[in-house]
Amino acid sequence: MPLRDDQLAHYREHGWVAPIDVMSVEEATELRRTLEAAEAAYPEHLHAENRNNAHHTFPFLAELALDERIVDIAEAIVGPNIALWSTVVFAKAPRSGSFVSWHQDARYMGVTGENHVTAWLALTPSTLENGCVSVLPETHRNGAVEHEDTYGQDNILTRGQRVVGFDDVEPVHLELQAGQLSLHHPWLVHGSQPNRSNDRRIGVALQTYMGNGLTLERGAHHVTHIRGGAVHDEFVDVPVPTAPCTKSGLAHREAANQAFRDILYDGAEVRRNL
Ligand SMILES: O=C(O)CCC(=O)C(=O)O
């Protein structure tokens, strides 16, 4: 069973479930080494301002998105036909101010419907000290809530979007070991604090695994087909890269990011080039 019944029930009731064991610490640490080698080899394609949708240009990230152990978990939530909308490498430098404000993933995705889920895999330990993902439990039950744009310098999010209200909800901190996964619902309010440790905190958000039944509101949606049959006949399927940063891989990533920006910045006063 990729996800036990009690884990599935927890997800449905609270909007999150963690920790879920996916791979050993050694395997996750090896993935971190691969990521850091890619950062060193292709600095212009993998840096703090350019960490969205790197799975379109780096095969090891595409393989991670397609990893059966993770996809089986996603299938338990969204069903057998699965596409992946985007990925983000969330890396926080040691002792840095980078943080993620309280937000909902689905607020700026241009889709409606609930049949999708974010999977967040830790490549390093993710703790309260180094700024693990924190969630406001049960907030997924509210559907879309109002956000305001802050464009804060240290805010990792594109618009620095932040949910207002919910000060009375006690956060839960999703501490993980390297190789463990958390799942959060697309309407769950979540964020993370700065890294106060002496090492990087790195996680890969697979955001979101989508099943059938979603309605597209606006924009073009460049996705990776993951498993089963078609998820939506208007999705634009992006081929999986076979080598890092090829001309076509870079073009696919740029097209996906452009479509992503058009959706995310709809109605925004300022655009960052993320
Ligand atoms: O990694 C983080 O600190 C934030 C992650 C997040 O916002 C997400 O996965 O949706």
Side-chain angles (χ1 to χ4, degrees):
M1 275 295 251
L3 210 54
R4 297 187 315 266
D5 287 348
D6 62 302
Q7 290 176 311
L8 190 56
H10 191 283
Y11 174 81
R12 301 256 184 247
E13 184 174 352
H14 302 286
W16 64 273
V17 60
I20 303 167
D21 293 325
V22 168
M23 62 181 70
S24 66
V25 171
E26 291 73 26
E27 190 178 346
T29 305
E30 187 53 39
L31 263 174
R32 172 192 180 162
R33 274 195 280 273
T34 305
L35 173 77
E36 291 183 335
E39 287 173 325
Y42 302 97
E44 72 277 33
H45 300 307
L46 208 48
H47 59 80
E49 301 288 301
N50 193 14
R51 293 194 175 123
N52 285 351
N53 288 321
H55 65 297
H56 292 319
T57 45
F58 292 98
F60 77 96
L61 287 172
E63 281 160 24
L64 185 66
L66 287 157
D67 189 306
E68 302 270 320
R69 293 167 294 185
I70 300 175
V71 178
D72 285 349
I73 292 165
E75 180 170 336
I77 307 275
V78 305
N81 302 328
I82 308 177
L84 179 68
W85 198 76
S86 77
T87 59
V88 186
V89 175
F90 279 104
K92 293 180 187 170
R95 303 218 162 264
S96 67
S98 299
F99 72 102
V100 173
S101 49
W102 294 122
H103 69 285
Q104 298 174 307
D105 291 341
R107 177 64 184 80
Y108 295 100
M109 289 178 65
V111 298
T112 48
E114 302 212 345
N115 197 26
H116 53 143
V117 62
T118 294
W120 194 99
L121 180 76
L123 300 193
T124 63
S126 189
T127 63
L128 196 50
E129 188 195 15
N130 71 11
C132 64
V133 176
S134 300
V135 301
L136 299 184
E138 282 131 58
T139 48
H140 65 303
R141 296 184 192 167
N142 299 302
V145 299
E146 201 188 324
H147 288 57
E148 61 183 18
D149 295 339
T150 68
Y151 298 100
Q153 181 73 20
D154 283 332
N155 197 331
I156 298 176
L157 294 185
T158 41
R159 302 166 65 140
Q161 63 266 32
R162 130 178 121 195
V163 159
V164 274
F166 298 105
D167 297 341
D168 52 336
V169 183
E170 192 63 35
V172 176
H173 307 293
L174 307 187
E175 295 198 303
L176 303 174
Q177 291 173 16
Q180 290 184 321
L181 184 87
S182 58
L183 295 178
H184 59 259
H185 189 283
W187 289 127
L188 191 74
V189 177
H190 62 286
S192 67
Q193 295 295 310
N195 180 357
R196 291 177 282 111
S197 80
N198 292 325
D199 193 10
R200 301 177 85 188
R201 192 233 60 178
I202 307 173
V204 181
L206 302 149
Q207 196 160 58
T208 55
Y209 285 109
M210 296 179 155
N212 293 119
L214 298 173
T215 305
L216 307 189
E217 278 176 355
R218 60 179 190 279
H221 299 262
H222 295 231
V223 305
T224 304
H225 180 252
I226 299 289
R227 176 178 283 181
V231 172
H232 198 291
D233 51 17
E234 284 174 42
F235 278 168
V236 180
D237 279 332
V238 181
V240 170
T242 50
C245 298
T246 59
K247 208 171 159 193
S248 69
L250 291 170
H252 285 308
R253 184 179 181 193
E254 183 42 36
N257 279 344
Q258 187 54 52
F260 189 54
R261 285 192 283 270
D262 288 345
I263 293 170
L264 276 161
Y265 287 108
D266 187 48
E269 284 175 13
V270 180
R271 267 181 180 238
R272 286 159 71 184
N273 195 32
L274 292 178

